[in-house]
Amino acid sequence: MRRLAAISLFAALALSWGCAKKMPNEPDGTGSIFATVADVSGFFEGSVPGEPFPLDGVEVRIQGRTHDFSGAVNTGNGSTASFDRLPAGRYSLFARKEVLDGDARKIFTGSADILVDGGGTVDANVTTDIVGTSDLLINEIFYAGSDASSFFFYDQYVEIHNSSGDTLYLDGMFLTRQTQTVYPDQNDIDHVRALYVFQFPGTPATGRQYPIAPGEYVVVAADAVDHSAWIPSSIDLSVADWEFFNPLANDYDNPDVPNIISINPYSRSDYLINLAHGSVVLATGEEYFFEEMDEETIRVGIPIGTVVDGVEYASSTDKTKQLTTRVDAGFAGIGNTRYSGQSAERREPGLDTNDSTFDFELSARPTIGYSHAE
């Protein structure tokens, strides 16, 4: 959840859109977006830090936020991109430019949220900066399953990445499956509600037994086995760093892979997340409580102040938010389908604007222990 200070999010015409109907996924309207891309890093010759500098050779992607539509253009030698024949609705623009600086690779990114309220052209400014560091982040979630013919989805995993320049520690941290119930008060209360909560060993906040080095990726598998031995289209998770384990469930346990353990005595389930729409939270593990929602429902409350990162994923933009927008304002995984074999992964390691529509894209195959962007 840590906000990436290096990304400038300019919400051009950031107005709410009250569309209740799902729009077509092909451009068939009369609206247009004309986007100008400028960088404020001061990296490029002739530029001044903090002042907009026209940036050429930029890939600009568009994603519908009120309907399913996506596309991409490259600005070439100019600094502008246009998208035409757009139906009315809200859109996200995401700009990216990669530059080699000696042997180092620098990534410049930026985003904007645009409202097209009818015909005519909307002018938008997308401001880029160098991707910075954001401490621990959920980098990838593989949730959709690998084989429809056998309904196989037991190869799920969550990947954590240390995008900072310091060694950090996983001691006592939580990984959760959040509730899928949409509670009316979810944007007002000071905690998030989880269905499952699994905890790394060690002491939260102060423990130093389980380091994660700068740039390291840590994979936590639902079941740490070679799933491709049974389903050829699946993946080998016997190489996972950790395995979710619930001692109250009929749960497989690989003795060669260390466990993160369920702490919810009211849950008797293995770590399995929804194949189309759900959310995952990473928290420090310092504080939690049990909340009785009704006579039969108990959830785990995790204070928002202890949430390190949270990602909500959904197959479509017309889904209702299940995780408060204070943790994640968008959806990862738009366009993903059940048993696709695709994962939702950050566009760039360390990119975090607290809006997963911007921050994530689909990877054709899971990338266990590395990033597709690298």
Side-chain angles (χ1 to χ4, degrees):
M1 177 183 144
R2 312 278 175 142
R3 185 171 297 277
L4 179 60
I7 297 287
S8 297
L9 173 60
F10 273 31
L13 302 179
L15 304 174
S16 62
W17 172 255
C19 178
K21 296 181 180 179
K22 185 175 179 180
M23 300 294 245
N25 55 16
E26 293 294 333
D28 61 355
T30 58
S32 300
I33 296 175
F34 186 82
T36 301
V37 183
D39 183 72
V40 295
S41 68
F43 171 83
F44 297 95
E45 184 178 355
S47 66
V48 177
E51 296 185 8
F53 180 80
L55 198 61
D56 61 8
V58 182
E59 180 188 55
V60 182
R61 293 183 175 272
I62 187 171
Q63 174 68 61
R65 296 187 74 102
T66 47
H67 55 284
D68 292 335
F69 169 70
S70 61
V73 298
N74 193 295
T75 65
N77 293 325
S79 61
T80 60
S82 63
F83 299 91
D84 302 316
R85 298 178 57 216
L86 299 175
R90 284 182 58 225
Y91 296 85
S92 293
L93 298 182
F94 183 87
R96 179 187 189 275
K97 182 180 177 71
E98 181 175 329
V99 175
L100 286 178
D101 183 21
D103 294 330
R105 186 176 70 119
K106 294 185 182 297
I107 306 295
F108 299 81
T109 62
S111 53
D113 193 20
I114 313 298
L115 173 69
V116 175
D117 60 2
T121 299
V122 177
D123 293 322
N125 297 311
V126 185
T127 303
T128 68
D129 207 332
I130 298 175
V131 172
T133 58
S134 297
D135 298 338
L136 290 179
L137 293 172
I138 297 167
N139 184 70
E140 183 179 20
I141 308 175
F142 182 55
Y143 56 88
S146 299
D147 188 82
S149 62
S150 59
F151 303 103
F152 192 82
F153 55 85
Y154 303 102
D155 48 2
Q156 296 178 338
Y157 71 83
V158 178
E159 182 181 72
I160 302 170
H161 177 234
N162 179 3
S163 65
S164 78
D166 301 317
T167 296
L168 302 173
Y169 297 87
L170 296 169
D171 294 60
M173 297 193 78
F174 289 157
L175 265 177
T176 77
R177 170 185 172 169
Q178 296 303 111
T179 178
Q180 289 183 262
T181 303
V182 180
Y183 292 105
D185 63 348
Q186 65 186 18
N187 286 318
D188 301 319
I189 57 176
D190 61 0
H191 61 278
V192 294
R193 295 181 174 114
L195 183 62
Y196 307 157
V197 179
F198 288 74
Q199 187 172 33
F200 287 91
T203 304
T206 60
R208 295 295 182 269
Q209 292 181 278
Y210 303 100
I212 175 170
E216 185 179 358
Y217 296 87
V218 166
V219 173
V220 187
D223 289 312
V225 299
D226 182 0
H227 297 275
S228 65
W230 292 276
I231 304 295
S233 60
S234 187
I235 53 179
D236 181 5
L237 285 177
S238 65
V239 298
D241 302 285
W242 295 86
E243 181 180 45
F244 291 100
F245 181 67
N246 187 348
L248 300 179
N250 184 20
D251 194 0
Y252 174 82
D253 183 15
N254 183 343
D256 297 324
V257 177
N259 293 329
I260 72 170
I261 306 293
S262 172
I263 66 163
N264 184 0
Y266 303 98
S267 171
R268 286 167 170 76
S269 299
D270 189 6
Y271 187 87
L272 292 173
I273 50 181
N274 191 277
L275 277 64
H277 184 194
S279 55
V280 176
V281 160
L282 176 68
T284 63
E286 296 171 84
E287 187 179 348
Y288 69 98
F289 57 91
F290 295 107
E291 183 179 15
E292 185 174 342
M293 309 307 300
D294 54 49
E295 292 182 357
E296 299 180 353
T297 306
I298 294 177
R299 297 291 180 249
V300 183
I302 300 173
I304 287 181
T306 69
V307 172
V308 175
D309 191 25
V311 178
E312 183 169 355
Y313 60 87
S315 58
S316 173
T317 57
D318 64 358
K319 302 299 183 182
T320 301
K321 287 287 294 178
Q322 299 171 355
L323 185 63
T324 173
T325 55
R326 292 168 294 169
V327 174
D328 186 359
F331 297 110
I334 294 174
N336 205 359
T337 57
R338 289 178 174 85
Y339 309 109
S340 68
Q342 298 182 105
S343 70
E345 188 171 23
R346 289 192 186 269
R347 296 177 187 272
E348 308 290 343
L351 172 65
D352 184 35
T353 67
N354 282 3
D355 187 333
S356 290
T357 302
F358 293 141
D359 298 341
F360 281 76
E361 62 185 353
L362 291 181
S363 177
R365 288 285 294 169
T367 57
I368 303 170
Y370 66 98
S371 168
H372 74 288
E374 297 177 330

